[in-house]
Amino acid sequence: MRWGALINIVVLAILVAFIAQPQWFEPVFAPLAKEGQPVIYTQNTVLNLVLSHLGLVLAATLAGAVLAVGLAILVTRPFGREFLPLSRTLANVGQTFPPVAVLALAVPILGFGTAPTLLALFLYGLLPIFENALTGLSSVPPQVAEAAEGVGMTGWQKLTQVELPIAMPAILAGIRISAIISLGTATIGSTVAASTLGETIIAGLINSNIAFIAQGALVVALLAIIINDLLQVLERRVSRYRLAAR
């Protein structure tokens, strides 16, 4: 067995064990808590926080992928090239605008909870997907596009049967980067009452309990490692399938 696969199994086992039985890890976190402080966060279950956190990240990443890939397709068509500067500007603004500022502006309109967090994650994850999709679609060799047109493919057939399959590894890489960014960023959603793993971190900050902070950060880090590796495996398989199909 490869070392990478062995490490992934260990990481997954630790994460599952902590979600199922967090009290087993009390000896690990006890040195981080002050005398008399609770060691394990119990105001909400780890499973609930993980599911809510992942749900937010999944929804924001999927919505961002639909919009960003759609924009990339639009601006790589002859009729849409004039919109490239505008699309790039919109994606850049989403990435450069601090998520905390998005939350502060969105709360008066959307209220506290999930909605402003989802908006912040959606905007923050647009740029990597858009730029990777743009790179992938722009890298299609001209002779391949001409050959597709030469055999009578329509624009839709050329897009779905030639361009998107060639660009798919780059698109998936952008989605992976966006998802990993969102995993960490979603923790700030708890500052506006969204249920995320940031809840334990904020509870730790309020009570000066480093054990709570470490628990939230550890689970987010383990999730990021597992999801990053899973999406990398998917990228490799898509790349191999594309090469085999040539």
Side-chain angles (χ1 to χ4, degrees):
M1 182 180 292
R2 294 179 179 177
W3 280 106
L6 181 61
I7 291 172
N8 287 339
I9 291 173
V10 171
V11 168
L12 181 61
I14 292 173
L15 179 62
V16 171
F18 186 74
I19 291 173
Q21 299 291 340
Q23 66 274 16
W24 288 354
F25 294 80
E26 188 166 336
V28 176
F29 292 105
L32 300 176
K34 295 177 182 176
E35 188 175 351
Q37 285 184 327
V39 175
I40 300 297
Y41 184 74
T42 57
Q43 298 302 309
N44 201 343
T45 66
V46 180
L47 178 60
N48 283 341
L49 293 175
V50 167
L51 291 177
S52 178
H53 194 102
L54 288 179
L56 273 171
V57 171
L58 178 63
T61 304
L62 286 177
V66 170
L67 179 62
V69 175
L71 279 176
I73 292 172
L74 172 68
V75 300
T76 51
R77 305 303 99 181
F79 60 86
R81 283 182 184 141
E82 61 182 298
F83 297 106
L84 175 58
L86 175 62
S87 300
R88 185 164 268 158
T89 299
L90 290 174
N92 277 325
V93 167
Q95 177 76 35
T96 55
F97 213 67
V100 174
V102 175
L103 290 178
L105 293 172
V107 164
I109 302 170
L110 301 175
F112 286 89
T114 300
T117 307
L118 193 57
L119 176 63
L121 296 181
F122 167 73
L123 293 175
Y124 208 53
L126 279 178
L127 184 62
I129 304 176
F130 174 74
E131 288 294 343
N132 275 47
L134 189 61
T135 301
L137 289 168
S138 300
S139 66
V140 176
Q143 59 270 32
V144 173
E146 290 171 4
E149 291 171 0
V151 297
M153 282 188 175
T154 63
W156 176 254
Q157 288 173 325
K158 190 173 75 169
L159 172 66
T160 56
Q161 297 178 26
V162 178
E163 293 177 278
L164 282 178
I166 291 175
M168 193 54 65
I171 294 173
L172 289 175
I175 291 173
R176 174 172 56 81
I177 294 168
S178 177
I180 299 306
I181 291 173
S182 292
L183 267 173
T185 309
T187 55
I188 66 169
S190 292
T191 60
V192 293
S195 180
T196 74
L197 288 162
E199 188 176 313
T200 63
I201 297 173
I202 292 172
L205 291 171
I206 292 173
N207 299 295
S208 299
N209 189 329
I210 298 175
F212 286 178
I213 299 173
Q215 285 160 45
L218 175 68
V219 175
V220 171
L222 294 179
L223 284 173
I225 292 171
I226 292 169
I227 291 174
N228 183 64
D229 286 345
L230 286 176
L231 292 177
Q232 279 188 329
V233 169
L234 179 61
E235 286 173 43
R236 287 196 292 270
R237 290 194 174 184
V238 169
S239 296
R240 282 201 294 267
Y241 176 78
R242 194 190 69 175
L243 290 173
R246 284 182 176 176

